[in-house]
Amino acid sequence: RETRAPFRFDYERFRRSLRHPVRGGRSGEDPETRARRMKIKEMMKFAWDNYKQYALGKNELRPLSKNGHIGNMFGGLRGATVIDALDTLYIMELEEEFQEAKQWVEKSFDLNVNGEASLFEVNIRYVGGLLATYYLTGEEVFKSKALELGEKLLPAFNTPTGIPRGGSLFSPCSGMSWSWGWASAGSSILAEFGTLHLEFLHLSQLSGNPVFAEKASNPSLAFRGVMNIRRVLSRVEKPQGLYPNFLSPVTGSWVQHHVSIGGLGDSFYEYLIKSWLMSDKKDSEAKKMYDDALEAIEKHLVKKSAGGLTYIAEWRGGILDHKMGHLACFSGGMIALGAEHGPEERRQRHMELAAEITSTCHESYARSDTKLGPEAFRFDAGSEATATRLSERYYILRPEVVESYMYLWRLTHQPKYRHWGWEVVQALEKHCRVEAGFSGIRDVYTTTPTHDNMQQSFFLAETLKYLYLLFCEDDVLSLEDWVFNTEAHPLPINHTDFRA
Ligand code: DMJ
């Protein structure tokens, strides 16, 4: 055990450093915007109430069979929907419901569990959700649970390179790590080991313990924190400047050359630009890595379809796959957020690219019968922004498209983004709302879709939160104070110019 001086995070000082209040109504707004926001709040209450009634303590609600789902992603941890919903309930001022969720955390959230958990999923949903709720409310229980859970994840970093494996084996007394064999044949996934930085830096800041960010000072502890991941990535050669999706945690070299800004790659890029923003623009290494990666993506992956739609293709050993996943649609928002801070020529180019990608993602919704978008859409064999394979026609309540609408709205104030967001609200109500919650659908191209009987926890964490923020004033969870982790949990920017 390391012995360290007692440490106390000064929460009051942190709250004084914020430039804007975090929530609350504003006077003088137009009644239609308010009514739309209230409708989204009602959807959140409906999603939560049904989860509470039929599945409290399970990971997700099954809204057709009216029971709970546990799954195998969280290694014995329970209550994924509670933790993912906490900050959304708080922001929407659903006070009673927030207290219900908090009470579950205090009384029933058990961290002494057995099982194999995904490091990535536990980090973005549980650690991110707990940290955000602590920063918003100052309630110690959220901080202590986040820190306790963070420590349980550290064994995953115990590899020859310090690049964490995909999973952690929870057990009350020992920690081990493993890789999702079925997904990556023993290699680590870029979007998984590249999506830890924001949360782990906050774990170090809140605990006063550098182990999450940097190597432990006690040499008997083998863990190297998230800063080491960058070091490994900067050494390895990148084909055409691109980052492939699979890396060996043993040798530190790429395992195969598949590049994607959608699934397997996505949030790695997101965390680079957000690390820079969260550091109050001090982390220039992250900014440079982001700029270089985006330049390579622009050069090799950004394409225009015959019908004039801009999209980001996938790359397999030099050959392009003209496909965009729903997951890749977060990139409109990310590129807009990053564009804000560059020189004028680059800013304009990136804002245009962000708007074009977001518009393409909107087309993938507009061209379906339900007005919801498929899991993946293609630009080949005469198809434009539509799914061509039966297996890619489903919609599981994902947030990425409304996430981009929210950023583009905040950064441009063009009314179309609110219109498009409202179209999604109406489609969700029409096709996904069932008697006991919201459900994904199996085919967006039929107006009598079959439901998948699953209310994903990210629907409460992200989809409804981003929709709500789209109809809020800009100073509610202002982009000047907060960055959203990849599960839409807000983490504060470390304002370095603040004087108490
Ligand atoms: C969420 O858990 C996160 O947004 C993650 O980055 C990607 N997948 C889901 C939502 O689609």
Side-chain angles (χ1 to χ4, degrees):
R1 273 207 160 270
E2 283 189 286
T3 44
R4 282 174 295 108
F7 176 84
R8 195 180 153 273
F9 176 75
D10 188 343
Y11 184 77
E12 292 312 318
R13 185 175 191 278
F14 151 69
R15 279 308 289 246
R16 287 195 303 277
S17 77
L18 295 179
R19 294 176 183 166
H20 303 276
V22 289
R23 58 178 189 171
R26 308 287 180 264
S27 56
E29 68 176 335
D30 79 281
E32 187 186 70
T33 303
R34 187 173 186 283
R36 292 184 169 186
R37 189 167 71 243
M38 290 303 124
K39 173 65 203 165
I40 297 157
K41 180 172 172 175
E42 183 278 325
M43 293 164 77
M44 179 68 187
K45 181 167 163 48
F46 181 70
W48 169 260
D49 284 348
N50 279 290
Y51 167 75
K52 185 187 69 182
Q53 182 169 355
Y54 298 112
L56 184 65
K58 302 288 191 311
N59 286 325
E60 294 95 5
L61 164 69
R62 288 194 171 279
L64 277 98
S65 48
K66 299 186 181 168
N67 57 0
H69 172 257
I70 290 177
N72 62 3
M73 272 187 328
F74 308 115
L77 291 175
R78 297 286 184 270
T81 294
V82 181
I83 310 291
D84 251 358
L86 276 164
D87 54 10
T88 311
L89 294 171
Y90 181 80
I91 288 302
M92 292 186 181
E93 301 181 68
L94 285 161
E95 310 293 356
E96 213 176 290
E97 293 75 8
F98 175 75
Q99 290 306 326
E100 291 162 359
K102 180 182 149 195
Q103 225 176 66
W104 186 86
V105 175
E106 284 169 337
K107 299 207 173 118
S108 311
F109 184 33
D110 185 6
L111 297 182
N112 289 317
V113 293
N114 285 299
E116 296 172 347
S118 154
L119 169 66
F120 165 77
E121 297 290 354
V122 170
N123 178 56
I124 67 170
R125 301 191 201 208
Y126 284 85
V127 177
L130 291 164
L131 286 174
T133 312
Y134 171 66
Y135 282 116
L136 291 170
T137 65
E139 309 241 22
E140 288 292 312
V141 61
F142 301 115
K143 180 177 91 180
S144 60
K145 296 278 184 195
L147 295 179
E148 204 184 321
L149 189 52
E151 294 215 6
K152 284 181 183 286
L153 298 176
L154 287 172
F157 288 76
N158 203 355
T159 67
T161 56
I163 293 283
R165 295 185 191 279
S168 262
L169 186 65
F170 291 142
S171 88
C173 40
S174 72
M176 278 172 61
S177 67
W178 54 282
S179 290
W180 290 96
W182 51 267
S184 58
S187 48
S188 297
I189 296 173
L190 182 68
E192 296 198 338
F193 66 78
T195 308
L196 301 164
H197 199 96
L198 302 180
E199 295 81 1
F200 274 55
L201 253 53
H202 277 289
L203 290 175
S204 274
Q205 167 171 314
L206 286 182
S207 61
N209 185 352
V211 70
F212 301 101
E214 286 286 357
K215 193 171 172 23
S217 50
N218 179 342
S220 71
L221 290 174
F223 316 133
R224 280 160 287 179
V226 288
M227 294 305 290
N228 171 62
I229 296 173
R230 296 235 190 112
R231 265 167 242 142
V232 175
L233 285 177
S234 63
R235 279 198 299 267
V236 59
E237 199 192 316
K238 289 158 273 295
Q240 323 237 33
L242 295 165
Y243 288 83
N245 290 336
F246 297 100
L247 189 92
S248 161
V250 177
T251 62
S253 32
W254 303 117
V255 176
Q256 44 162 281
H257 283 185
H258 171 215
V259 177
S260 157
I261 195 140
L264 303 175
D266 49 8
S267 40
F268 159 70
Y269 306 97
E270 175 185 355
Y271 271 37
L272 289 177
I273 189 65
K274 288 183 176 176
S275 295
W276 178 69
L277 291 169
M278 197 176 85
S279 71
D280 212 12
K281 304 180 188 160
K282 299 283 181 296
D283 184 354
S284 48
E285 179 185 52
K287 178 73 161 52
K288 168 126 184 43
M289 285 171 78
Y290 173 80
D291 286 344
D292 292 349
L294 188 56
E295 199 180 308
I297 288 168
E298 278 187 277
K299 192 158 163 203
H300 301 291
L301 307 185
V302 173
K303 297 284 153 202
K304 204 164 240 168
S305 72
L309 299 181
T310 303
Y311 62 97
I312 307 184
E314 299 194 0
W315 191 87
R316 292 173 196 278
I319 297 175
L320 285 184
D321 190 0
H322 297 270
K323 157 194 171 194
M324 242 182 113
H326 193 289
L327 290 166
C329 285
F330 87 99
S331 61
M334 175 187 74
I335 294 169
L337 190 64
E340 270 293 280
H341 312 278
E344 191 47 30
E345 177 278 324
R346 185 183 166 280
R347 200 189 95 79
Q348 264 183 26
R349 196 177 78 240
H350 283 181
M351 279 311 283
E352 256 164 52
L353 177 61
E356 285 173 13
I357 289 167
T358 305
S359 167
T360 299
C361 291
H362 172 253
E363 283 305 313
S364 78
Y365 277 48
R367 293 174 190 205
S368 82
D369 298 342
T370 54
K371 306 299 166 210
L372 293 165
E375 179 68 3
F377 45 94
R378 292 179 184 265
F379 301 85
D380 53 20
S383 93
E384 292 252 338
T386 50
T388 54
R389 302 181 185 186
L390 273 178
S391 60
E392 294 172 344
R393 297 163 80 116
Y394 63 90
Y395 171 69
I396 56 168
L397 306 174
R398 286 198 192 277
E400 291 75 19
V401 175
V402 296
E403 173 179 352
S404 284
Y405 295 167
M406 192 283 290
Y407 282 108
L408 268 293
W409 162 257
R410 286 233 171 150
L411 299 169
T412 69
H413 291 132
Q414 287 180 21
K416 69 179 174 196
Y417 296 113
R418 278 187 166 169
H419 293 319
W420 292 352
W422 189 244
E423 286 169 7
V424 177
V425 170
Q426 290 173 306
L428 287 168
E429 285 286 286
K430 192 160 172 199
H431 300 293
C432 299
R433 189 171 179 138
V434 294
E435 195 190 316
F438 287 90
S439 168
I441 55 176
R442 295 195 198 281
D443 186 351
V444 295
Y445 299 105
T446 164
T447 46
T448 48
T450 318
H451 293 105
D452 69 3
N453 195 21
M454 183 69 84
Q455 179 176 280
Q456 302 282 349
S457 76
F458 52 67
F459 182 64
L460 292 86
E462 299 191 72
T463 313
L464 291 175
K465 188 188 282 133
Y466 286 133
L467 282 169
Y468 183 82
L469 292 175
L470 180 62
F471 293 96
C472 278
E473 296 294 313
D474 292 355
D475 60 355
V476 177
L477 286 182
S478 164
L479 299 178
E480 285 182 359
D481 282 324
W482 303 91
V483 293
F484 293 93
N485 90 339
T486 194
E487 189 80 0
H489 297 305
L491 297 172
I493 289 174
N494 183 10
H495 288 310
T496 45
D497 58 357
F498 169 71
R499 305 260 172 278

PDB file of all heavy atoms in Angstrom, residues 99-110:
ATOM      1  N   GLN A  99     -33.946  11.601  -6.266  1.00  0.00           N
ATOM      2  CA  GLN A  99     -33.791  11.059  -4.900  1.00  0.00           C
ATOM      3  C   GLN A  99     -33.965   9.543  -4.899  1.00  0.00           C
ATOM      4  O   GLN A  99     -33.272   8.834  -4.170  1.00  0.00           O
ATOM      5  CB  GLN A  99     -34.806  11.714  -3.934  1.00  0.00           C
ATOM      6  CG  GLN A  99     -34.522  13.184  -3.621  1.00  0.00           C
ATOM      7  CD  GLN A  99     -33.099  13.437  -3.104  1.00  0.00           C
ATOM      8  OE1 GLN A  99     -32.514  12.605  -2.403  1.00  0.00           O
ATOM      9  NE2 GLN A  99     -32.513  14.575  -3.474  1.00  0.00           N
ATOM     10  N   GLU A 100     -34.890   9.046  -5.711  1.00  0.00           N
ATOM     11  CA  GLU A 100     -35.078   7.585  -5.789  1.00  0.00           C
ATOM     12  C   GLU A 100     -33.792   6.915  -6.287  1.00  0.00           C
ATOM     13  O   GLU A 100     -33.352   5.900  -5.752  1.00  0.00           O
ATOM     14  CB  GLU A 100     -36.215   7.246  -6.765  1.00  0.00           C
ATOM     15  CG  GLU A 100     -37.588   7.656  -6.272  1.00  0.00           C
ATOM     16  CD  GLU A 100     -38.652   7.733  -7.404  1.00  0.00           C
ATOM     17  OE1 GLU A 100     -38.322   7.491  -8.589  1.00  0.00           O
ATOM     18  OE2 GLU A 100     -39.793   8.050  -7.072  1.00  0.00           O
ATOM     19  N   ALA A 101     -33.193   7.517  -7.313  1.00  0.00           N
ATOM     20  CA  ALA A 101     -31.965   6.955  -7.875  1.00  0.00           C
ATOM     21  C   ALA A 101     -30.829   7.039  -6.853  1.00  0.00           C
ATOM     22  O   ALA A 101     -30.060   6.084  -6.663  1.00  0.00           O
ATOM     23  CB  ALA A 101     -31.599   7.683  -9.161  1.00  0.00           C
ATOM     24  N   LYS A 102     -30.738   8.167  -6.174  1.00  0.00           N
ATOM     25  CA  LYS A 102     -29.674   8.352  -5.180  1.00  0.00           C
ATOM     26  C   LYS A 102     -29.814   7.328  -4.045  1.00  0.00           C
ATOM     27  O   LYS A 102     -28.824   6.745  -3.585  1.00  0.00           O
ATOM     28  CB  LYS A 102     -29.753   9.780  -4.631  1.00  0.00           C
ATOM     29  CG  LYS A 102     -28.705  10.081  -3.596  1.00  0.00           C
ATOM     30  CD  LYS A 102     -28.839  11.477  -3.055  1.00  0.00           C
ATOM     31  CE  LYS A 102     -28.362  11.523  -1.618  1.00  0.00           C
ATOM     32  NZ  LYS A 102     -28.785  12.734  -0.933  1.00  0.00           N
ATOM     33  N   GLN A 103     -31.038   7.132  -3.641  1.00  0.00           N
ATOM     34  CA  GLN A 103     -31.274   6.172  -2.556  1.00  0.00           C
ATOM     35  C   GLN A 103     -30.829   4.757  -2.952  1.00  0.00           C
ATOM     36  O   GLN A 103     -30.263   4.033  -2.155  1.00  0.00           O
ATOM     37  CB  GLN A 103     -32.763   6.144  -2.257  1.00  0.00           C
ATOM     38  CG  GLN A 103     -33.032   6.186  -0.781  1.00  0.00           C
ATOM     39  CD  GLN A 103     -34.521   6.251  -0.555  1.00  0.00           C
ATOM     40  OE1 GLN A 103     -35.221   5.292  -0.865  1.00  0.00           O
ATOM     41  NE2 GLN A 103     -34.998   7.388  -0.062  1.00  0.00           N
ATOM     42  N   TRP A 104     -31.054   4.430  -4.215  1.00  0.00           N
ATOM     43  CA  TRP A 104     -30.612   3.101  -4.665  1.00  0.00           C
ATOM     44  C   TRP A 104     -29.088   3.013  -4.592  1.00  0.00           C
ATOM     45  O   TRP A 104     -28.534   2.002  -4.152  1.00  0.00           O
ATOM     46  CB  TRP A 104     -31.104   2.805  -6.095  1.00  0.00           C
ATOM     47  CG  TRP A 104     -30.764   1.400  -6.491  1.00  0.00           C
ATOM     48  CD1 TRP A 104     -31.489   0.272  -6.246  1.00  0.00           C
ATOM     49  CD2 TRP A 104     -29.549   0.970  -7.137  1.00  0.00           C
ATOM     50  NE1 TRP A 104     -30.807  -0.828  -6.710  1.00  0.00           N
ATOM     51  CE2 TRP A 104     -29.616  -0.441  -7.261  1.00  0.00           C
ATOM     52  CE3 TRP A 104     -28.427   1.641  -7.623  1.00  0.00           C
ATOM     53  CZ2 TRP A 104     -28.598  -1.185  -7.860  1.00  0.00           C
ATOM     54  CZ3 TRP A 104     -27.408   0.888  -8.212  1.00  0.00           C
ATOM     55  CH2 TRP A 104     -27.504  -0.515  -8.321  1.00  0.00           C
ATOM     56  N   VAL A 105     -28.413   4.080  -4.991  1.00  0.00           N
ATOM     57  CA  VAL A 105     -26.941   4.076  -4.936  1.00  0.00           C
ATOM     58  C   VAL A 105     -26.483   3.913  -3.491  1.00  0.00           C
ATOM     59  O   VAL A 105     -25.598   3.100  -3.182  1.00  0.00           O
ATOM     60  CB  VAL A 105     -26.356   5.375  -5.553  1.00  0.00           C
ATOM     61  CG1 VAL A 105     -24.842   5.439  -5.379  1.00  0.00           C
ATOM     62  CG2 VAL A 105     -26.725   5.474  -7.029  1.00  0.00           C
ATOM     63  N   GLU A 106     -27.117   4.658  -2.580  1.00  0.00           N
ATOM     64  CA  GLU A 106     -26.701   4.596  -1.172  1.00  0.00           C
ATOM     65  C   GLU A 106     -26.959   3.225  -0.556  1.00  0.00           C
ATOM     66  O   GLU A 106     -26.131   2.695   0.172  1.00  0.00           O
ATOM     67  CB  GLU A 106     -27.468   5.652  -0.362  1.00  0.00           C
ATOM     68  CG  GLU A 106     -26.940   7.050  -0.581  1.00  0.00           C
ATOM     69  CD  GLU A 106     -27.864   8.119   0.019  1.00  0.00           C
ATOM     70  OE1 GLU A 106     -29.068   7.857   0.212  1.00  0.00           O
ATOM     71  OE2 GLU A 106     -27.368   9.221   0.273  1.00  0.00           O
ATOM     72  N   LYS A 107     -28.111   2.662  -0.866  1.00  0.00           N
ATOM     73  CA  LYS A 107     -28.509   1.449  -0.137  1.00  0.00           C
ATOM     74  C   LYS A 107     -28.217   0.150  -0.872  1.00  0.00           C
ATOM     75  O   LYS A 107     -28.016  -0.879  -0.240  1.00  0.00           O
ATOM     76  CB  LYS A 107     -30.026   1.505   0.132  1.00  0.00           C
ATOM     77  CG  LYS A 107     -30.418   2.694   0.983  1.00  0.00           C
ATOM     78  CD  LYS A 107     -31.699   2.399   1.755  1.00  0.00           C
ATOM     79  CE  LYS A 107     -31.981   3.517   2.727  1.00  0.00           C
ATOM     80  NZ  LYS A 107     -33.214   4.203   2.455  1.00  0.00           N
ATOM     81  N   SER A 108     -28.220   0.173  -2.184  1.00  0.00           N
ATOM     82  CA  SER A 108     -28.179  -1.115  -2.887  1.00  0.00           C
ATOM     83  C   SER A 108     -27.035  -1.274  -3.888  1.00  0.00           C
ATOM     84  O   SER A 108     -26.876  -2.361  -4.442  1.00  0.00           O
ATOM     85  CB  SER A 108     -29.500  -1.329  -3.655  1.00  0.00           C
ATOM     86  OG  SER A 108     -30.590  -1.074  -2.827  1.00  0.00           O
ATOM     87  N   PHE A 109     -26.284  -0.228  -4.170  1.00  0.00           N
ATOM     88  CA  PHE A 109     -25.233  -0.350  -5.195  1.00  0.00           C
ATOM     89  C   PHE A 109     -24.035  -1.071  -4.592  1.00  0.00           C
ATOM     90  O   PHE A 109     -23.307  -0.505  -3.778  1.00  0.00           O
ATOM     91  CB  PHE A 109     -24.853   1.042  -5.699  1.00  0.00           C
ATOM     92  CG  PHE A 109     -23.861   1.040  -6.828  1.00  0.00           C
ATOM     93  CD1 PHE A 109     -23.842   0.035  -7.780  1.00  0.00           C
ATOM     94  CD2 PHE A 109     -22.940   2.093  -6.947  1.00  0.00           C
ATOM     95  CE1 PHE A 109     -22.928   0.045  -8.827  1.00  0.00           C
ATOM     96  CE2 PHE A 109     -22.030   2.123  -7.990  1.00  0.00           C
ATOM     97  CZ  PHE A 109     -22.024   1.095  -8.922  1.00  0.00           C
ATOM     98  N   ASP A 110     -23.828  -2.309  -5.000  1.00  0.00           N
ATOM     99  CA  ASP A 110     -22.807  -3.150  -4.388  1.00  0.00           C
ATOM    100  C   ASP A 110     -21.596  -3.261  -5.317  1.00  0.00           C
ATOM    101  O   ASP A 110     -21.720  -3.674  -6.471  1.00  0.00           O
ATOM    102  CB  ASP A 110     -23.434  -4.545  -4.159  1.00  0.00           C
ATOM    103  CG  ASP A 110     -22.495  -5.461  -3.405  1.00  0.00           C
ATOM    104  OD1 ASP A 110     -21.426  -4.994  -2.962  1.00  0.00           O
ATOM    105  OD2 ASP A 110     -22.838  -6.660  -3.272  1.00  0.00           O
TER     106      ASP A 110
END
